[in-house]
């Protein structure tokens, strides 16, 4: 059976949903193995076992996080060799894609990014040109590297669990030679809301919120949603850049995207037009956002959103 | 006085996103008929020009070379870069390059960069954060790997002092400060600067600047290593996603918030 290696960077206390999705896809393709970096806590280790991970690898070096990408790719290349994997799965984050990029050159392996589904024969599905096409693609090389978007599959534990022992992979000494160093790191405060790229519902605001995300936050909390923004709102400093949705921000495909005070420029649409349902609130009936909205309200967001929030609370009791 | 810099900026000619964009042909590659300089590369060019100008510009021996790989039309991305202020332009063009994936593209670009560095290696290779058509962001990291150079990617700010480069990179859960010595491959985000527009003086000056055209033979790349044959991935099928159509649009008459919630309830989204 094909061996499928999943890279999990800093598994943390409990595995992220996106990691569980990768493990589920790995099992559908063959025998899952995991190469992790950082500490492996008991809960995370238990999840790996429950998801049927057959082989587990850890790096000999503890300082991979002190460099940008390079040494992680070297470690992963060594893990691919040891495991005999023919498919490698990583997160679709900026860093995940870059690790995949460097790894692909080391292995002579084709890499496909932004994957949303993988067929048992390795065919990957993805959308391109800002969601205007859906395509299937394959790596034509002996090893394939796929970076998979979150929310691609429902995570499912294996029928029978495993008890993998971690094998240490020697990270080559040369791995850090041509790598930029991370000399300072500041953690961002957690919002307590769902992760933007994984959220089922996103409430996003633009220039129209005029500095006040309050009504959006209230609605988001009533719906259990994440908060997003247009570049106009992040550039104005009303909300962090990591909330930006669009061509140069995040791409999201939630079940529901509520756009408020956003005109719907092409670069904004690039990040959200694959959402299942789009609701738009904008006071200008001519706004392009209404061309893609399933439900649109021409009105003032400061009236419409609080009324909607109150109504949701009333219904939810 | 700081030492002068040789900077290569990678600029891509991409279909204009303001128009409908298409995949075409057997290999499902992007149709490039309505193309422009990728707007994300303008930030890289601006960053290069600012680094050069801070060291006295061309007069002080700094060079900003705009390099574009692509079919005949891609020379327009080079021309636009010269108008904006690049000191010289290079167009890597060869029929065998058509259909190259990220791996094949990075192979050809790496060879071109080595070729351009034959007399004096480049100090910096600058790129945009992604192309606005392929959108994979793979090429900068692959290029760094092929050239054996450190990468500083998604830089939201950039400082260069005595050969040491410092950048800020904004992650999802943390923001990092990244440092490296030169040479390096650096990609920049749209947060880094406000790109300038070409002005009349720039447009006139560009006419006197040279554009060198390179073929695969010039840079010592075997045609079998690039294009569809040299690619490590193949797009097998491509389907147009039906465009989104407008749904119900209402004008608020005092109860739109409630109607909105009714819509969500009907869609089972509550
Ligand atoms: C290289 C590049 C990359 C870019 N990347 C991105 C990106 O990733 N994401 C992104 O979003 N943009 C991006 N942009 C910017 C994009 O082109 C638009 O400028 C931006 O999306 C506009 O944001 P906006 O819709 O919030 O603001 P505007 O276009 O100013 O729209 C504000 C809207 O709010 C409405 N409004 C005002 N007050 C109210 C109210 N009280 N109630 C209801 N509606 C109200 C107005 O009618 C208007 O439609 C990029 C641009 C460039 C050049």
């Amino acid at each position: 059976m094909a061996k499928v290696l999943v890279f999990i960077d800093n598994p943390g206390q409990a595995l992220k949903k996106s990691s569980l999705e990768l493990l589920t896809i790995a099992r559908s393709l063959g025998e899952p193995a995991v190469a992790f970096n950082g500490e492996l806590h008991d809960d995370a280790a238990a999840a790996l076992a429950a998801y049927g991970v057959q082989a587990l690898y850890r790096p000999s070096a503890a300082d991979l996080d002190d460099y940008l990408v390079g040494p992680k790719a070297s470690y992963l290349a060594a893990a691919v060799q040891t495991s005999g994997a023919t498919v490698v799965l990583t997160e679709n984050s900026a860093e995940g894609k870059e690790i995949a990029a460097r790894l692909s050159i080391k292995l002579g392996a084709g890499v496909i990014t932004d994957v949303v589904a993988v067929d048992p024969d390795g065919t990957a599905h993805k959308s391109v040109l800002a969601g205007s096409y859906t395509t299937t693609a394959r790596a034509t090389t002996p090893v394939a590297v796929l970076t998979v978007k979150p929310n691609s599959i429902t995570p499912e534990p294996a029928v029978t669990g495993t008890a993998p022992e971690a094998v240490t992979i020697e990270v080559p000494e040369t791995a850090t030679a041509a790598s930029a160093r991370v000399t300072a790191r500041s953690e961002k405060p957690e919002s307590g809301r769902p992760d933007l790229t994984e959220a089922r519902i996103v409430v996003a605001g633009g220039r129209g919120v005029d500095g006040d995300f309050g009504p959006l936050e209230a609605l988001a909390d009533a719906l259990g949603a994440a908060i997003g923004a247009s570049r106009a709102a992040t550039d104005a400093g009303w909300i962090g850049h990591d909330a930006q949705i669009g061509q140069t921000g995040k791409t999201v495909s939630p079940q529901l995207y509520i756009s408020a005070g956003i005109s719907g420029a092409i670069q904004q649409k690039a990040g959200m037009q694959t959402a299942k349902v789009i609701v738009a609130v904008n006071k200008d009936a001519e706004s392009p956002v209404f061309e893609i909205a399933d439900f649109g309200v021409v009105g003032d967001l400061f009236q419409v959103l609080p009324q909607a929030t109150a109504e949701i609370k009333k219904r939810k009791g | 006085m700081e030492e002068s810099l040789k900077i290569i900026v990678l600029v891509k000619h991409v279909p204009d996103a303001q128009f409908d964009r298409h995949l075409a042909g057997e290999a499902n590659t992007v149709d490039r008929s309505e193309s422009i300089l990728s707007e994300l590369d303008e930030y890289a060019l601006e960053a290069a020009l600012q680094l050069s100008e801070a060291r006295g510009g061309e007069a002080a021996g700094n060079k900003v070379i705009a390099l574009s790989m692509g079919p005949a039309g891609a020379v327009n991305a080079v021309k636009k870069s010269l108008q904006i202020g690049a000191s010289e332009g290079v167009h890597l063009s060869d029929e065998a390059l058509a259909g190259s994936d990220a791996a094949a593209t990075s192979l050809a670009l790496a060879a071109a960069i080595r070729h351009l560095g034959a007399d004096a290696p480049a100090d910096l290779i600058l790129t945009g954060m992604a192309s606005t058509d392929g959108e994979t962001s793979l090429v900068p990291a692959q290029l760094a790997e092929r050239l054996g150079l450190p990468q500083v990617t998604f830089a939201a700010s950039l400082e260069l002092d005595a050969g040491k480069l410092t950048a800020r990179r904004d992650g999802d859960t943390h923001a990092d400060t990244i440092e490296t010595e030169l040479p390096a491959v650096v990609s920049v985000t749209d947060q880094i600067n406000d790109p300038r527009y070409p002005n009349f003086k720039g447009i006139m000056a560009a006419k006197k600047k040279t554009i060198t055209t390179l073929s695969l033979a010039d840079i010592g790349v075997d045609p079998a290593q690039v294009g569809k044959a040299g690619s490590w991935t193949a797009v097998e099928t491509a389907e147009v996603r039906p465009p989104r159509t407008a749904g119900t649009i209402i004008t608020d008459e005092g109860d739109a918030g409630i109607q909105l919630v009714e819509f969500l309830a009907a869609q089972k989204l509550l």
Side-chain angles (χ1 to χ4, degrees):
Chain A
M1 216 182 348
K3 297 219 166 56
V4 184
L5 187 67
V6 176
F7 177 54
I8 304 181
D9 201 1
N10 290 299
Q13 291 291 344
L15 291 189
K16 285 193 294 187
K17 180 163 165 272
S18 54
S19 303
L20 300 178
E21 292 181 24
L22 293 182
L23 295 173
T24 308
I25 294 173
R27 251 192 2 256
S28 75
L29 299 174
E31 211 174 90
V34 164
F36 69 92
N37 167 48
E39 256 186 279
L40 185 67
H41 295 281
D42 290 350
D43 285 356
L48 295 180
Y51 274 73
V53 172
Q54 305 275 346
L56 192 56
Y57 304 98
R58 63 150 46 102
S60 59
D63 62 349
L64 301 189
D65 285 331
D66 297 346
Y67 298 87
L68 191 61
V69 179
K72 288 181 186 172
S74 298
Y75 157 56
L76 203 49
V80 171
Q81 243 116 44
T82 305
S83 64
T86 52
V87 182
V88 183
L89 303 177
T90 77
E91 249 186 45
N92 199 54
S93 60
E95 191 167 342
K97 288 196 243 186
E98 292 180 327
I99 291 169
R102 292 196 84 131
L103 176 69
S104 83
I105 300 300
K106 289 183 193 292
L107 300 175
V111 41
I112 301 172
T113 61
D114 304 287
V115 172
V116 294
V118 192
D119 295 341
D121 71 349
T123 302
H125 297 248
K126 67 178 282 189
S127 64
V128 300
L129 292 178
S132 52
Y133 280 80
T134 52
T135 61
T136 56
R138 285 180 67 87
T140 53
T141 46
V143 178
V145 182
L146 310 177
T147 73
V148 184
K149 288 177 96 166
N151 283 343
S152 293
I153 193 173
T154 309
E156 267 177 48
V159 181
T160 36
T162 48
E165 281 292 326
V167 173
T168 301
I169 298 283
E170 278 310 312
V171 179
E173 278 192 20
T174 51
T176 55
S179 288
R181 295 171 304 281
V182 178
T183 53
R185 166 161 292 174
S186 58
E187 301 294 330
K188 294 184 176 169
E190 292 196 25
S191 69
R193 296 198 178 86
D195 181 79
L196 190 52
T197 47
E198 294 185 8
R200 211 176 69 88
I201 302 178
V202 173
V203 178
R207 199 189 308 275
V209 308
D210 202 14
D212 179 10
F213 267 78
L216 283 86
E217 287 170 350
L219 178 61
D221 291 340
L223 289 166
I227 295 274
S230 73
R231 192 173 102 172
T234 56
D235 278 358
W238 302 335
I239 185 164
H241 174 62
D242 36 312
Q244 184 183 318
I245 290 170
Q247 182 192 68
T248 54
K250 297 206 166 77
T251 306
V252 299
S253 307
Q255 295 292 312
L256 171 63
Y257 188 91
I258 301 181
S259 158
I262 298 179
S263 59
I266 184 107
Q267 295 93 347
Q268 154 74 203
K269 286 199 282 191
M272 47 68 82
Q273 63 189 356
T274 56
K276 195 98 177 273
V277 174
I278 297 174
V279 169
V281 180
N282 192 305
K283 66 181 182 190
D284 175 8
E286 303 297 318
S287 281
V289 71
F290 288 124
E291 292 163 15
I292 57 164
D294 300 288
F295 187 81
V297 176
V298 181
D300 184 347
L301 71 93
F302 292 100
Q303 304 291 326
V304 179
L305 298 195
Q307 189 181 49
T309 307
E311 178 69 15
I312 292 166
K313 284 189 177 156
K314 198 172 100 196
R315 290 187 185 215
K316 287 194 172 171
Chain B
M1 184 75 193
E2 292 237 22
E3 277 188 42
S4 62
L5 292 173
K6 177 169 177 177
I7 307 177
I8 298 179
V9 185
L10 302 183
V11 293
K12 190 171 180 187
H13 196 231
V14 298
D16 190 342
Q18 303 292 340
F19 301 108
D20 280 344
R21 297 178 292 176
H22 300 284
L23 297 182
E26 202 194 319
N28 291 306
T29 49
V30 176
D31 177 357
R32 306 196 173 274
S33 36
E34 303 267 8
S35 291
I36 54 167
L37 168 62
S38 173
E39 56 187 2
L40 298 180
D41 295 339
E42 294 182 15
Y43 297 90
L45 182 57
E46 179 65 36
L49 294 174
Q50 288 183 10
L51 287 169
S52 159
E53 284 159 5
R55 285 159 186 78
E58 265 180 85
N62 294 284
K63 272 189 192 169
V64 175
I65 304 168
L67 166 62
S68 188
M69 163 180 146
V75 75
N76 292 322
V78 179
K79 281 187 185 152
K80 174 94 183 274
S81 305
L82 294 178
Q83 292 174 347
I84 294 172
S87 38
E88 40 189 287
V90 179
H91 180 202
L92 172 61
S93 193
D94 200 297
E95 270 174 26
L97 286 166
S100 294
D101 71 352
T105 300
S106 65
L107 182 137
L109 287 172
I113 289 164
R114 283 196 203 97
H115 175 86
L116 296 173
D119 51 344
D123 302 293
L124 258 181
I125 322 294
L126 268 166
T127 79
M129 62 188 281
S131 62
T132 55
D133 55 348
E135 300 168 309
T136 67
S137 296
L138 292 173
V139 169
Q142 289 187 326
L143 203 54
E145 182 68 31
R146 290 195 187 274
L147 295 168
L149 294 181
Q151 68 179 77
V152 176
T153 32
F154 294 97
S157 75
L158 212 55
E159 270 167 53
L160 181 60
D161 188 24
K164 195 177 79 186
L165 188 113
T166 309
R168 201 185 76 240
R169 170 169 158 127
D170 241 329
D172 285 347
T173 54
H174 47 82
D176 294 342
T177 306
I178 313 282
E179 273 182 26
T180 191
E181 279 78 45
L182 298 186
V185 176
V186 177
S187 80
V188 303
T189 74
D190 62 337
Q191 302 290 306
I192 195 166
N193 53 41
D194 291 310
R196 67 191 74 178
Y197 295 103
N199 56 24
F200 181 71
K201 213 175 125 216
I203 292 169
M204 294 316 287
K207 296 190 174 160
K208 298 201 197 78
K209 296 177 183 169
T210 35
I211 298 181
T212 310
T213 308
L214 296 175
S215 67
L216 287 176
D218 294 329
I219 59 170
V221 169
D222 176 352
Q225 290 177 285
V226 295
K228 212 182 157 197
S231 289
W232 295 342
T233 55
V235 178
E236 299 194 321
T237 63
E239 264 176 65
V240 182
R241 207 188 244 275
R244 290 196 90 99
T245 47
T248 316
I249 310 292
I250 62 165
T251 300
D252 185 22
E253 279 161 3
D255 66 344
I258 292 163
Q259 290 196 52
L260 193 161
V261 176
E262 271 161 16
F263 170 81
L264 298 184
Q267 299 279 325
K268 303 207 165 34
L269 285 165
L270 282 187

